[in-house]
Amino acid sequence: MRPVVISVAITGSVPRKADTPAVPVTPAEQIESTHEAYEVGASLVHIHVRNPDESSSSDPDLFAQVQEGIRKHCPDMIVQFSTGGRGRDPDARGSALYLMPDMASLSTGSVNFPNIVFENPPALVRSLAGDMQRHGIKPEIEVFDLSMIHATRSLIDEGLLDGTPHMQFVFGIKNALPAERPILELLVAEAKRVLGDFTWTAAAIGRHQAEVAKWAVDMGGHVRTGLEDNIRISRTELASSNAELVEIAARTIVDQGQKVATVSEARTLLGLPQGASR
Ligand code: ZN
């Protein structure tokens, strides 16, 4: 049985309490929601923080509070900060990296989102990659388009990325890649051709979440779930928590004859040191 890593994206920048009361917004809510998700099999948490009015924030104090709480309650869990997200000042997107989470997301190119351009100009990508490298943070490369695989190769060639790259293939965002299995197959094949060794996770928005998780398990990848990407468990029913979505992902993994990775296995698979906190 292959251990499959479950990442949980607990909050994101889009869902509000008005959309679902289950989305954790304050640091205390985020810590509790992460702990519940950890207990049922999530080994990696992807974190955005929010201002009191629920808008996207880059405030390092909020990231610090969440990270501290998670390290206390889920001591070895892999902590990943988002450097993306809608509505953040580009210059502040890396401002919490000095807190040295295990990982941080890194988009290597720009893409259209439903109503905006998610802008990642080359200079910003290099500046964020350099900051991660300096702080010993492993990037998770967010791939919204084929060219982002090639941009990853450039970062490796420029000496800005160390070790085996970890890629996140993202589907189902309007105006970006649709959730179609041939596209995932193409991205995985192209990443293999261009990068050689790499690990990968796939994520999809809304109703595509469960289906893309199945493809990822089937194709040798890892799984991302969580309220950032999807707030429902059916067309009419809201998910009650991040943990409920993690349980669904865990069932998908087991139903396909694989096993949910422990945190220790996840750390090995992603080339991260064992144990937590630094
Ligand atoms: Zn995110």
Side-chain angles (χ1 to χ4, degrees), residues 9 12 46 48 82 85 105 224 228:
H46 170 84
H48 293 246
S82 172
S105 62
R224 169 165 135 165
E228 167 168 352

Side-chain angles (χ1 to χ4, degrees), residues 3-22:
V4 178
V5 178
I6 302 179
S7 302
V8 62
I10 52 169
T11 301
S13 53
V14 175
R16 299 288 191 267
K17 290 282 190 193
D19 303 312
T20 172

Side-chain angles (χ1 to χ4, degrees), residues 2 143-146 149 167-172 177-193 198-204 208-224 256:
R2 180 174 73 88
V143 175
F144 297 92
D145 204 356
L146 187 78
I149 294 170
M167 316 298 283
Q168 167 84 263
F169 302 118
V170 187
F171 295 93
L177 291 173
E180 290 173 16
R181 181 161 174 153
I183 300 178
L184 177 60
E185 288 170 354
L186 180 118
L187 292 174
V188 170
E190 186 67 355
K192 210 167 278 173
R193 188 179 76 82
F198 69 103
T199 53
W200 62 276
T201 299
H208 302 293
Q209 185 172 68
E211 185 182 31
V212 169
K214 273 186 206 144
W215 303 340
V217 176
D218 187 40
M219 290 172 57
H222 302 284
V223 170
R224 169 165 135 165
Q256 292 193 82

Side-chain angles (χ1 to χ4, degrees), residues 91-263:
D91 291 335
R93 281 168 39 189
S95 63
L97 294 175
Y98 76 92
L99 296 165
M100 298 199 295
D102 299 286
M103 299 182 78
S105 62
L106 176 67
S107 302
T108 54
S110 302
V111 63
N112 281 348
F113 274 0
N115 303 305
I116 59 155
V117 180
F118 179 34
E119 286 185 61
N120 292 287
L124 175 63
V125 174
R126 276 159 183 74
S127 147
L128 288 170
D131 286 348
M132 290 180 202
Q133 192 175 46
R134 253 192 309 286
H135 294 297
I137 299 166
K138 176 155 184 158
E140 176 176 272
I141 309 289
E142 310 288 330
V143 175
F144 297 92
D145 204 356
L146 187 78
S147 63
M148 297 178 192
I149 294 170
H150 292 263
T152 304
R153 180 73 247 174
S154 300
L155 292 178
I156 295 169
D157 294 342
E158 290 167 33
L160 284 166
L161 266 189
D162 307 318
T164 307
H166 181 66
M167 316 298 283
Q168 167 84 263
F169 302 118
V170 187
F171 295 93
I173 296 181
K174 193 178 171 213
N175 301 324
L177 291 173
E180 290 173 16
R181 181 161 174 153
I183 300 178
L184 177 60
E185 288 170 354
L186 180 118
L187 292 174
V188 170
E190 186 67 355
K192 210 167 278 173
R193 188 179 76 82
V194 172
L195 304 173
D197 235 13
F198 69 103
T199 53
W200 62 276
T201 299
I205 304 308
R207 66 194 166 87
H208 302 293
Q209 185 172 68
E211 185 182 31
V212 169
K214 273 186 206 144
W215 303 340
V217 176
D218 187 40
M219 290 172 57
H222 302 284
V223 170
R224 169 165 135 165
T225 189
L227 294 165
E228 167 168 352
D229 299 341
N230 170 37
I231 60 172
R232 295 175 196 285
I233 53 167
S234 73
R235 232 159 57 90
T236 52
E237 233 180 318
L238 291 173
S240 61
S241 62
N242 277 299
E244 185 175 23
L245 293 172
V246 170
E247 284 173 325
I248 290 169
R251 272 202 298 281
T252 299
I253 292 167
V254 171
D255 286 350
Q256 292 193 82
Q258 309 301 344
K259 57 172 283 208
V260 176
T262 63
V263 181

